[in-house]
Amino acid sequence: MNFPKVQRLLVLLLLVSVFLPLGLVAQTSNGQYGTIIAKVIAFRAAKGNIELSLYDKEKKFPDMDMRMITQSKPVTNGSVVEVRFEKVPYGIYAIAGHHDENKSGEMDYSWLGLPQEGYCFSNDAKPFLSPPSFKEAKFMLNQKEKVVYITMQY
């Protein structure tokens, strides 16, 4: 019988199963995180908050339940508001947001179902009868800092 060979094979499999995942974790966490800086422009009023959500999955974009993280910043002037997403793993992302002018915490709609507050998407993706797709809004984070310029739409 080749019992020592079987033992060596089991030990090898054990070592691979223990150390391979550690190597993968080290690869993704060893300097593979960056900051996404979203610069949002074209507010119609200097009031309320900008609510931006970061997504890493195409499924159901831009459903709030599928977001990775949401940041809120006050709109103190009508020019530019900068929102930072820090310590984000390198990858493909999309941003969706709205100008919560009355600070209600949600998008306000007319009786026809049309937005009454501003909205925005990365790549300045434009909705047409529905929100744009993840594919239209996606961008890649593959550096320490990625600046994404976004125009508010009303």
Side-chain angles (χ1 to χ4, degrees), residues 111-148:
W111 64 274
L112 291 173
L114 300 173
Q116 291 188 310
E117 298 178 303
Y119 52 88
C120 61
F121 301 94
S122 45
N123 290 338
D124 286 337
K126 306 264 189 266
F128 181 72
L129 302 178
S130 68
S133 68
F134 184 87
K135 185 176 181 180
E136 293 171 306
K138 73 179 180 179
F139 61 90
M140 180 176 285
L141 174 64
N142 59 0
Q143 58 201 41
K144 287 289 183 193
E145 285 191 348
K146 170 76 173 180
V147 178
V148 179

Side-chain angles (χ1 to χ4, degrees), residues 7 18 45 49 57 60 67 69 75-76 82 84 92 95-96 109-110 118-119 122 146 151:
Q7 278 183 330
V18 169
N49 294 322
K57 293 184 178 43
K60 295 187 179 179
R67 70 188 185 273
I69 188 168
V75 178
T76 57
E82 184 176 293
R84 300 172 71 90
I92 297 176
I95 294 175
Y109 295 93
S110 71
Y119 52 88
S122 45
K146 170 76 173 180
T151 304

Side-chain angles (χ1 to χ4, degrees), residues 18-66:
V18 169
F19 289 108
L20 183 62
L22 292 176
L24 292 176
V25 169
Q27 271 186 332
T28 57
S29 64
N30 185 15
Q32 299 297 307
Y33 291 83
T35 299
I36 298 169
I37 303 166
K39 293 190 177 191
V40 186
I41 61 170
F43 294 94
R44 73 176 169 197
K47 64 180 183 177
N49 294 322
I50 175 71
E51 306 271 339
L52 286 186
S53 296
L54 183 66
Y55 296 82
D56 65 345
K57 293 184 178 43
E58 188 167 349
K59 185 179 179 182
K60 295 187 179 179
F61 172 81
D63 186 331
M64 288 298 283
D65 293 335
M66 302 303 291

